[in-house]
Amino acid sequence: MRNFYEIESKFFINIANYMNNWENYLGIFDNNTEKKALTQRIASHVQTLWNQFNQDRSKLDKHYMNTGDGFQAYIASFLLPNIERVFSTLVRDENIFAIESLFLVEKDELVITDFGCGPLSGTIGILSVLEYIFSINHKLILPKKIHINAIDRSDKIVDFGKKLLTKSLFESVVVSVEHITSPEKVTKNSDVILGINVFNEIPLKHRAKTLNSLYSKLNNGGLLLVMEPGQEEHAKSLGTLRNEFISANNDGQIISPCAHRKNCPLSTETTRKDWCWFRHSWNTPKTIALIDKFSKLDHHELNFSYLFVQKNSVQSAETFFARSISDEFPIEIKAKSPQIEYFKNNLVSGEKEEFLKMVEYEGGLNKILLCTKEGELESAFVIADPTQKPYRRGRRVKLDSELYMRAKERN
């Protein structure tokens, strides 16, 4: 399943109706005819908001959701990509089992806490995931009702998201949405907690306290998904928040992306220039593609960083040796260069003589950066072969023998 809006939904939310309601709100198409002036105006505000998010946060008005232009720009260009980020992450095989574990017994009420919810993008993402897993696993038991703790400071954006959701629900579904202004006001313990692109807007000194407060109200077996932008600043900050979280919560089983519970080697506490982020390509909806045309943005490839945790996991997470945290890429080969000498002298798997033979291969040598189950960074080396599918960022390496020529990386 590549895109959330392609699901044939029938249990909770009619996703086709949701998409139609979203498009009708924007009004960019009139009987499939593009309203060019309106599209250009929205695109201009989208570009402004994007620049403030990604280039100069000091110019971002913390009440941007309460302005007409900022509100519309966010709905036009940020809502659906955030839904897709959540959906595409959670429907991966390594994450599905944890979600399914919530529905092995009858549940009177499923409680979702969407922190910094905005227009409920995280909620729509998880409901899309539920549509998918219930369609492929008929042994799961549907919850009788769903309650959503919608935590956000903006009444306007929550009301909009709530209306868009309720207009798209199937009639047989019982869903309640409670708007809450802070985590302290949550009265119902949660089965799922979502924090989608929100912790980067909280002062650093308050992030861990806020996350731990939310987690304390998560039921046993419950799930926590924190997702942040893929840029270096935010991904490294999430690594640091992860370190603080696992230090304070021994019962949190990391489902993904990490193969370990040790300190993140790519957090703000390290000096390395690499950072842990992932990407997902999707078929951009035509309305977003049209806005991108005028805003000069490109939403085809969605970047993000994330942490997915289960409390007192009812099932062991799938074990694997390492995760690729880079794409496979060529390295410059120079005889007796400091880089080659370092790798040769710091091999953790493979023989020096064989490594030097690989270096001399005329077709070139490629490298993949790994984060292992020991929380260590290693470089794996493979002969460049255009006939083979290259390793991509995010791929799990299940056995250490899969990439046997490896060297310890500098931290």
Side-chain angles (χ1 to χ4, degrees):
M1 181 59 62
R2 190 176 183 191
N3 308 304
F4 84 91
Y5 62 83
E6 293 177 332
I7 300 171
E8 187 178 347
S9 51
K10 57 182 179 180
F11 298 101
F12 306 99
I13 179 173
N14 188 320
I15 295 174
N17 282 356
Y18 184 88
M19 293 293 292
N20 288 334
N21 292 330
W22 172 78
E23 290 188 342
N24 290 337
Y25 162 75
L26 295 176
I28 285 177
F29 289 99
D30 184 7
N31 294 325
N32 291 322
T33 301
E34 168 201 335
K35 296 180 181 179
K36 187 174 181 179
L38 174 61
T39 306
Q40 289 177 322
R41 183 180 67 78
I42 293 176
S44 175
H45 294 302
V46 165
Q47 188 176 54
T48 298
L49 188 58
W50 188 92
N51 288 338
Q52 290 174 353
F53 268 127
N54 296 285
Q55 295 180 0
D56 190 355
R57 280 290 180 104
S58 64
K59 294 182 179 179
L60 179 64
D61 181 355
K62 65 179 182 179
H63 299 295
Y64 66 89
M65 285 290 196
N66 292 327
T67 67
D69 292 334
F71 183 92
Q72 189 177 46
Y74 188 90
I75 298 301
S77 193
F78 292 82
L79 171 57
L80 298 194
N82 282 340
I83 296 173
E84 181 66 18
R85 286 183 178 96
V86 173
F87 173 79
S88 65
T89 299
L90 295 184
V91 294
R92 294 173 181 167
D93 290 343
E94 63 193 290
N95 297 326
I96 283 289
F97 80 86
I99 303 169
E100 289 180 331
S101 70
L102 295 177
F103 306 102
L104 299 178
V105 296
E106 187 174 49
K107 186 182 292 291
D108 182 62
E109 183 177 59
L110 176 74
V111 179
I112 301 170
T113 293
D114 195 344
F115 175 57
C117 63
L120 299 177
S121 52
T123 296
I124 303 302
I126 194 69
L127 290 178
S128 300
V129 172
L130 297 187
E131 288 288 349
Y132 175 71
I133 66 170
F134 275 95
S135 69
I136 62 174
N137 188 343
H138 302 296
K139 295 181 179 180
L140 302 180
I141 303 172
L142 286 164
K144 294 180 180 180
K145 55 186 177 180
I146 298 174
H147 179 80
I148 300 163
N149 293 317
I151 307 176
D152 202 283
R153 61 190 172 218
S154 170
D155 294 333
K156 182 178 179 181
I157 195 67
V158 175
D159 287 345
F160 175 87
K162 181 178 178 179
K163 289 176 182 176
L164 204 59
L165 168 63
T166 53
K167 286 172 63 177
S168 308
L169 292 172
F170 289 109
E171 291 183 1
S172 59
V173 179
V174 179
V175 176
S176 57
V177 180
E178 181 182 3
H179 181 201
I180 302 171
T181 55
S182 71
E184 289 75 20
K185 296 181 180 180
V186 172
T187 57
K188 291 188 176 185
N189 279 9
S190 307
D191 300 296
V192 179
I193 295 176
L194 306 165
I196 312 303
N197 290 343
V198 63
F199 280 93
N200 65 87
E201 297 187 15
I202 299 174
L204 281 169
K205 63 182 180 180
H206 297 310
R207 293 180 188 180
K209 181 180 178 180
T210 301
L211 181 58
N212 290 334
S213 174
L214 286 165
Y215 185 75
S216 70
K217 297 178 181 179
L218 185 65
N219 291 325
N220 277 344
L223 305 172
L224 166 70
L225 174 66
V226 178
M227 187 167 280
E228 289 288 276
Q231 293 100 325
E232 178 180 5
E233 175 188 359
H234 305 306
K236 282 183 172 292
S237 292
L238 178 55
T240 301
L241 179 60
R242 169 200 176 280
N243 293 346
E244 294 173 320
F245 171 79
I246 61 175
S247 176
N249 300 281
N250 293 326
D251 57 357
Q253 170 71 52
I254 297 178
I255 305 300
S256 69
C258 315
H260 62 91
R261 292 187 85 256
K262 299 183 179 180
N263 278 350
C264 174
L266 295 177
S267 69
T268 56
E269 298 159 352
T270 67
T271 58
R272 286 192 62 100
K273 294 182 179 179
D274 308 283
W275 63 98
C276 185
W277 63 280
F278 306 93
R279 65 163 69 90
H280 167 69
S281 297
W282 66 322
N283 295 321
T284 313
K286 67 175 183 178
T287 298
I288 292 182
L290 182 60
I291 294 171
D292 283 351
K293 174 183 174 182
F294 293 109
S295 67
K296 307 302 181 186
L297 300 177
D298 185 358
H299 280 92
H300 172 67
E301 187 173 272
L302 305 176
N303 300 332
F304 56 92
S305 54
Y306 78 100
L307 177 67
F308 186 43
V309 173
Q310 186 167 32
K311 189 172 189 176
N312 287 325
S313 177
V314 296
Q315 178 179 349
S316 296
E318 180 182 353
T319 58
F320 56 99
F321 167 68
R323 189 179 294 276
S324 302
I325 52 175
S326 77
D327 293 326
E328 182 178 324
F329 63 96
I331 59 174
E332 185 178 354
I333 302 298
K334 290 183 179 179
K336 295 185 178 181
S337 70
Q339 183 186 42
I340 295 301
E341 286 295 304
Y342 174 84
F343 289 139
K344 181 191 73 174
N345 293 325
N346 287 275
L347 291 175
V348 294
S349 178
E351 300 296 331
K352 291 183 180 180
E353 293 76 12
E354 188 174 2
F355 175 72
L356 293 176
K357 286 181 180 179
M358 293 176 70
V359 170
E360 294 171 358
Y361 178 69
E362 64 180 12
L365 187 66
N366 288 352
K367 170 183 167 180
I368 307 109
L369 184 62
L370 304 177
C371 184
T372 74
K373 63 181 181 180
E374 302 301 328
E376 300 289 342
L377 296 178
E378 294 182 1
S379 283
F381 304 95
V382 294
I383 294 296
D385 185 352
T387 66
Q388 297 294 316
K389 186 176 181 180
Y391 280 79
R392 300 286 289 174
R393 181 183 299 275
R395 176 170 167 176
R396 285 173 295 167
V397 180
K398 294 191 176 182
L399 300 172
D400 58 356
S401 58
E402 180 180 339
L403 290 168
Y404 70 94
M405 188 62 69
R406 304 189 314 277
K408 182 179 180 180
E409 269 283 347
R410 297 180 177 91
N411 288 326

